[in-house]
Amino acid sequence: MSYETVLEQVRAAPEACLDEISSIIRYVVYRYQQDVEEDIQPSAQLAAAMQEALQICDDSSVEGYTDLNVLFADLNT
């Protein structure tokens, strides 16, 4: 949705609703700010594992799997 669409909807609303619309907008902005502040960062161990996985993906010498059944068969041996 664009700002123009939202502005059109606000302009079409009765003036008696503007205080409520303003309160809702403030709440939405507040919630967005809370979500940004609470942005969950992975633990150091998880971040290191993710980095290692990315390195493995780029390493052509590492054997990969395209069949899940083959992967599990190799894991079980």
Side-chain angles (χ1 to χ4, degrees):
M1 182 176 288
S2 68
Y3 282 114
E4 290 79 22
T5 303
V6 172
L7 289 174
E8 287 175 20
Q9 292 174 349
V10 169
R11 286 185 185 114
E15 191 169 333
C17 297
L18 293 181
D19 285 339
E20 187 174 359
I21 292 169
S22 180
S23 295
I24 292 168
I25 292 171
R26 279 195 307 274
Y27 175 73
V28 169
V29 171
Y30 166 79
R31 285 296 313 263
Y32 173 78
Q33 290 170 341
Q34 293 300 309
D35 290 346
V36 169
E37 289 174 9
E38 293 176 4
D39 187 20
I40 298 172
Q41 299 296 320
S43 68
Q45 182 180 10
L46 177 58
M50 293 167 60
Q51 186 63 37
E52 183 180 359
L54 290 173
Q55 290 171 353
I56 290 171
C57 287
D58 293 334
D59 187 349
S60 60
S61 67
V62 176
E63 180 183 356
Y65 294 90
T66 58
D67 186 317
L68 195 56
N69 293 325
V70 175
L71 169 66
F72 281 116
D74 282 354
L75 288 173
N76 290 327
T77 58

